[in-house]
Amino acid sequence: MIRRTWQNIDLDAWQQACTEDPQLQEFLIAADVTFGLRSADQSVQFVCRDGQLQGARSDQPDSADFTLSAAPEDWSKFFQAVPPPSYQNFFGMRMRVASAAVEGSELAMAQHIQIARRVLEIGRMTANGGTSGKPDTGPDVPAASKAAIRSGYVQIETGQGPLDIFYETAGQGPDVLLLHTAGADGRQYHDVMTDPLLTSRCRLVTFDLPGHGRSDMIPGAAFGSYSLTTDYYADTVFAVIDALQLHTPVVSGSSMGGEICLEAALRAAGRLRGVIACSATDHVPGRRVPWARNPQVDETVFVPEWVYGLMSPTSPERYRRKVWWGYSQGGFNTFKGDIDFYSGEWDARERVAQIDTRDCPVVMMTGEYDYSCTPAMSAATASRIPGATFWEMAGQGHFSMAENPPLFAEYFIRALDHLGV
């Protein structure tokens, strides 16, 4: 019997592992798509019909709705047990690897990317002798209780009228304000806010931006019209600091939250003890995507997939799954509206050198697997801020505080030490 392979992966074993994978079976419900993978002149097609993956074909005419293509050497890196940065997910390859491309219908790709992503993950497991099945949720360690987290509402003035902001707090000591990422909310910090090494050292505070999570919507705004700006974001952060009467807090955030930390440092004027900007730089091009708001694409599936690959492949799956699930719950256009700031309106390339780190010290740290804001991008920004400090977070991705909270806590403590908190 001839052994069928693609990229030296046994196709029969790959297809069998797909058949046995419960997560893929859920993604396949009602799917009617054929997608391909191409490596030079070799290709394979996966046929999805009637809620099943019906075949992995390497000997059929090319009839795929869309094909993910890359050079053989790049696919080899992708299928390593622990792939190098940018190769953990095809979106990362497409953004940072020259050979990666989508052939055929981009719309079909956006509609079915969750299926292609999971099939590729199963292929990686198959290539390295693993099997699919029940998702790995990490060590059998009970999750820390959130009972000590306290919550409430505080009212701020936004220019469109008063607005109630939901906030949470845990711990005691100097105030540390934590800012969530685009399209998300303060729940991203729950596992950080239950870490006794942090709560015994400082008072952690997080809040949901207007129109996010449990905070009020922006008054009078039409559904879908939201688009975040630097001024609105910075004004909101300082309004919450004032409303909660936080005393010269440290402000920390990741992604767009890291960007606004740099803006806050510019505007600090003695109001902050310092900032810890994670996964931040002075400008991030290339992250706005039309599929995040397209009537033919399920926003609650595409957006989680768009961000899922930004995490490290070594981060525990139980945390990565929580990030995916949180992103499936964002409000209409909330993610895209935030990305309008993160990868559009935000541009501080001509201003970051004006940050006075004697008044507001700046620590920057970025995960090695972050292909949106790479460590090199953050390091370059830090080098333009006199007195700023940067380090790379090994084993972390873009959502460091949520994808691997225990590891993040180690880096965060190092940052607090640097700030003298």
Side-chain angles (χ1 to χ4, degrees):
M1 183 177 179
I2 299 176
R3 179 172 174 261
R4 301 185 309 133
T5 64
W6 185 81
Q7 284 290 124
N8 295 318
I9 305 172
D10 187 301
L11 287 178
D12 293 324
W14 191 350
Q15 182 175 339
Q16 181 62 33
C18 287
T19 301
E20 296 172 353
D21 184 69
Q23 181 59 81
L24 181 59
Q25 301 315 305
E26 294 300 323
F27 286 157
L28 285 169
I29 291 175
D32 184 3
V33 67
T34 297
F35 71 93
L37 305 175
R38 191 185 310 283
S39 175
D41 60 350
Q42 293 187 338
S43 62
V44 61
Q45 295 182 48
F46 294 87
V47 181
C48 308
R49 299 282 186 276
D50 302 322
Q52 297 179 351
L53 193 152
Q54 295 185 349
R57 304 172 181 174
S58 58
D59 55 355
Q60 299 291 321
D62 190 350
S63 59
D65 296 292
F66 67 95
T67 297
L68 309 181
S69 176
E73 59 271 22
D74 290 322
W75 279 124
S76 293
K77 292 177 183 177
F78 176 91
F79 285 112
Q80 290 178 18
V82 181
S86 297
Y87 289 87
Q88 70 266 28
N89 182 274
F90 190 81
F91 278 143
M93 290 175 60
R94 194 179 185 198
M95 188 170 189
R96 300 297 179 192
V97 177
S99 75
V102 177
E103 303 169 4
S105 171
E106 293 246 359
L107 174 60
M109 180 274 295
Q111 291 171 327
H112 300 93
I113 190 59
Q114 73 278 17
I115 296 174
R117 185 265 297 175
R118 188 57 185 161
V119 168
L120 282 167
E121 287 180 338
I122 295 169
R124 181 181 289 147
M125 288 186 283
T126 304
N128 293 282
T131 57
S132 186
K134 182 179 179 181
D136 174 23
T137 55
D140 187 18
V141 177
S145 172
K146 303 181 185 70
I149 298 177
R150 295 290 176 260
S151 63
Y153 281 91
V154 65
Q155 193 168 91
I156 65 171
E157 178 59 52
T158 64
Q160 295 100 338
L163 188 150
D164 285 332
I165 293 291
F166 181 86
Y167 73 93
E168 293 176 299
T169 181
Q172 55 187 353
D175 291 327
V176 176
L177 182 63
L178 305 169
L179 308 177
H180 62 74
T181 62
D185 57 60
R187 288 178 296 170
Q188 287 183 318
Y189 286 97
H190 278 173
D191 289 296
V192 170
M193 297 174 77
T194 57
D195 189 320
L197 293 177
L198 292 174
T199 55
S200 63
R201 176 171 183 153
C202 52
R203 179 175 178 252
L204 302 170
V205 182
T206 188
F207 72 95
D208 300 347
L209 276 173
H212 296 64
R214 297 140 294 185
S215 288
D216 281 357
M217 295 181 293
I218 297 174
F223 293 139
S225 65
Y226 169 73
S227 185
L228 185 62
T229 66
T230 300
D231 284 341
Y232 185 85
Y233 197 177
D235 289 346
T236 299
V237 170
F238 282 109
V240 170
I241 289 173
D242 291 341
L244 291 175
Q245 299 181 349
L246 304 184
H247 178 65
T248 55
V250 170
V251 177
S252 180
S254 293
S255 188
M256 74 168 195
E259 290 176 343
I260 207 64
C261 282
L262 300 180
E263 184 67 30
L266 276 164
R267 304 184 184 201
R271 300 182 64 185
L272 305 180
R273 187 177 301 223
V275 299
I276 304 172
C278 306
S279 294
T281 187
D282 48 24
H283 183 61
V284 179
R287 288 302 290 174
R288 288 194 285 186
V289 60
W291 310 119
R293 184 179 170 187
N294 182 298
Q296 295 176 282
V297 176
D298 186 345
E299 183 178 345
T300 66
V301 174
F302 178 81
V303 169
E305 290 294 328
W306 183 239
V307 302
Y308 182 83
L310 288 166
M311 293 180 280
S312 167
T314 61
S315 290
E317 186 174 351
R318 60 174 172 165
Y319 292 124
R320 288 186 286 144
R321 286 164 58 84
K322 287 172 69 173
V323 172
W324 192 102
W325 184 247
Y327 266 99
S328 75
Q329 300 175 339
F332 174 54
N333 195 55
T334 303
F335 175 79
K336 181 185 176 298
D338 284 341
I339 297 299
D340 286 345
F341 161 80
Y342 170 73
S343 189
E345 194 261 3
W346 166 255
D347 189 344
R349 285 175 288 186
E350 303 301 321
R351 298 188 297 121
V352 290
Q354 302 169 21
I355 295 175
D356 185 353
T357 55
R358 295 166 300 179
D359 174 63
C360 182
V362 174
V363 175
M364 299 180 66
M365 51 189 196
T366 297
E368 67 169 319
Y369 277 94
D370 189 345
Y371 61 77
S372 176
C373 173
T374 67
M377 292 166 66
S378 296
T381 295
S383 71
R384 292 192 284 273
I385 303 173
T389 299
F390 168 79
W391 55 74
E392 179 178 310
M393 292 185 284
Q396 289 279 45
H398 189 74
F399 300 96
S400 49
M401 72 295 188
E403 67 181 76
N404 195 338
L407 180 58
F408 174 76
E410 296 177 16
Y411 287 107
F412 201 69
I413 287 170
R414 177 182 171 186
L416 293 175
D417 286 342
H418 185 83
L419 296 176
V421 177

